[in-house]
Amino acid sequence: MNDTELFRRASFAPRIKDCPFKAAPRIAFMFLTRGPLPLAPLWERFFDGHSGLYSIYIHSLPGYQPDFLPSSVFYQRQIPSQVAEWGMMSVCDAERRLLANALLDISNERFVLLSEACIPLYNFSTVYHYISGSRYSFISSFDDPGPAGRGRYNGNMAPEVNLTQWRKSSQWFEISRKLAIDIVEDKLFYPKFEKFCRPGCYVDEHYFPTMLTIQSPHLLANRSLTWVDWSRGGAHPATFGKPDITEQFFDRFFQGQRCIYNNQSSSVCFLFARKFAPNALEPLLEVSPKVLGFREKNINIPGSGVKGSRFWL
């Protein structure tokens, strides 16, 4: 099936909020990778015991053959892929391909985009309830007046996109089924971004946030669930390796955070983080029982409708 047929089929996927059959809504975890998933063992622990509440989709370089065992949650979860080049429209095409494949499963109601360098910051139960209980989709969208924001705008994009509507965002998002369908079926904005957001524009930072802000601003939480460290400057965020991983390292995610969740203040702001190098796996597995998943505690997430539930911190 080519992209045109895939997107057409996904666009006709059911839009109803509730499945017509008795089934728990699923979250689609979509991994956009170049090849291997070096942190897969950590994710295996994350997903363990929660079959039926999630789906997994992997878009890697074409021709890459993974070696996951049949017992792995990642076994045979690759989708037909094409080359995705950083900063090019082919990256957005890959993300739309992931969304379209996930939309074909009616039980998928929320969609999370991740990379091979991402890790979960909480156990599956916390992540599941936080995402499924949200009234909004998580995609940061802001107006950057500088050269890396409005400076990338091309006037030829009007009237579909005016300068005042131009937005910038992190690539990593979590969206609802409605917005996923809107992205997959889009034929209004895609041609403009494909033609006029060329190298130097970094289309993956602008296409989705601009389109969704124009079409559905009331459905956006206007923030990302994925923590990234840009403090070191440069074109790419900081990468953390084996020497960085300690229990204290995770204080930056769990302490001093405040954000808005379902119109209420919350201290739980990020559910995922990146970038982590392959050599970070061993220490991550060592600290994960205490820091990421096996220390049980009752917490409330204001506005989620879930109170006093057992989550894992």
Side-chain angles (χ1 to χ4, degrees), residues 212-240:
L212 296 180
T213 297
I214 293 173
Q215 292 185 330
S216 305
H218 61 292
L219 299 180
L220 304 180
N222 202 23
R223 64 182 178 89
S224 174
L225 294 180
T226 302
W227 182 93
V228 182
D229 182 6
W230 289 99
S231 64
R232 303 179 189 180
H236 300 281
T239 297
F240 301 99

Side-chain angles (χ1 to χ4, degrees), residues 19 23-27 52-54 107-109 128 132:
C19 294
R26 294 186 182 185
I27 296 176
L53 297 179
Y54 66 87
S107 62
N108 290 327
E109 293 193 4
Y128 181 87
S132 62

Side-chain angles (χ1 to χ4, degrees), residues 126-146:
T126 303
V127 171
Y128 181 87
H129 286 289
Y130 193 100
I131 291 176
S132 62
S134 176
R135 305 170 200 163
Y136 304 98
S137 292
F138 296 91
I139 180 168
S140 61
S141 179
F142 60 96
D143 181 4
D144 180 353

Side-chain angles (χ1 to χ4, degrees), residues 5-14 99-101 103-104 181 184:
E5 177 61 18
L6 172 64
F7 294 159
R8 187 189 70 81
R9 288 184 59 184
S11 297
F12 288 116
L99 287 169
N101 275 275
L103 281 167
L104 296 178
I181 292 176
V184 167

Side-chain angles (χ1 to χ4, degrees), residues 39-246:
L39 304 178
L42 184 68
W43 285 100
E44 295 271 6
R45 288 190 179 183
F46 172 79
F47 290 118
D48 184 45
H50 299 281
S51 178
L53 297 179
Y54 66 87
S55 301
I56 294 174
Y57 303 86
I58 304 172
H59 187 293
S60 57
L61 290 175
Y64 173 72
Q65 297 295 325
D67 56 357
F68 295 114
L69 296 174
S71 58
S72 170
V73 297
F74 295 105
Y75 183 67
Q76 295 186 341
R77 298 312 305 160
Q78 279 188 291
I79 67 169
S81 62
Q82 298 181 28
V83 174
E85 298 180 78
W86 178 64
M88 305 292 288
M89 197 60 166
S90 56
V91 171
C92 296
D93 291 337
E95 294 169 3
R96 296 176 82 207
R97 213 170 283 126
L98 282 164
L99 287 169
N101 275 275
L103 281 167
L104 296 178
D105 185 340
I106 189 176
S107 62
N108 290 327
E109 293 193 4
R110 308 288 295 211
F111 305 78
V112 182
L113 181 67
L114 301 160
S115 79
E116 70 269 30
C118 288
I119 67 167
L121 294 177
Y122 292 90
N123 132 296
F124 184 90
S125 296
T126 303
V127 171
Y128 181 87
H129 286 289
Y130 193 100
I131 291 176
S132 62
S134 176
R135 305 170 200 163
Y136 304 98
S137 292
F138 296 91
I139 180 168
S140 61
S141 179
F142 60 96
D143 181 4
D144 180 353
R150 288 197 179 199
R152 297 174 179 174
Y153 175 78
N154 187 320
N156 290 310
M157 301 189 78
E160 287 80 5
V161 180
N162 295 312
L163 177 60
T164 56
Q165 298 171 312
W166 184 253
R167 294 294 183 268
K168 185 177 180 179
S169 167
S170 163
Q171 178 184 0
W172 313 104
F173 59 74
E174 184 285 323
I175 57 176
S176 66
R177 188 174 184 88
K178 178 198 180 308
L179 297 189
I181 292 176
D182 289 346
I183 288 174
V184 167
E185 71 178 4
D186 172 49
K187 295 179 180 178
L188 175 65
F189 298 98
Y190 184 95
K192 290 288 185 175
F193 279 89
E194 182 182 37
K195 187 174 182 179
F196 299 114
C197 191
R198 307 299 291 178
C201 175
Y202 304 105
V203 64
D204 54 288
E205 296 182 1
H206 298 283
Y207 174 27
F208 296 158
T210 298
M211 184 192 83
L212 296 180
T213 297
I214 293 173
Q215 292 185 330
S216 305
H218 61 292
L219 299 180
L220 304 180
N222 202 23
R223 64 182 178 89
S224 174
L225 294 180
T226 302
W227 182 93
V228 182
D229 182 6
W230 289 99
S231 64
R232 303 179 189 180
H236 300 281
T239 297
F240 301 99
K242 184 175 182 177
D244 299 300
I245 309 304
T246 64

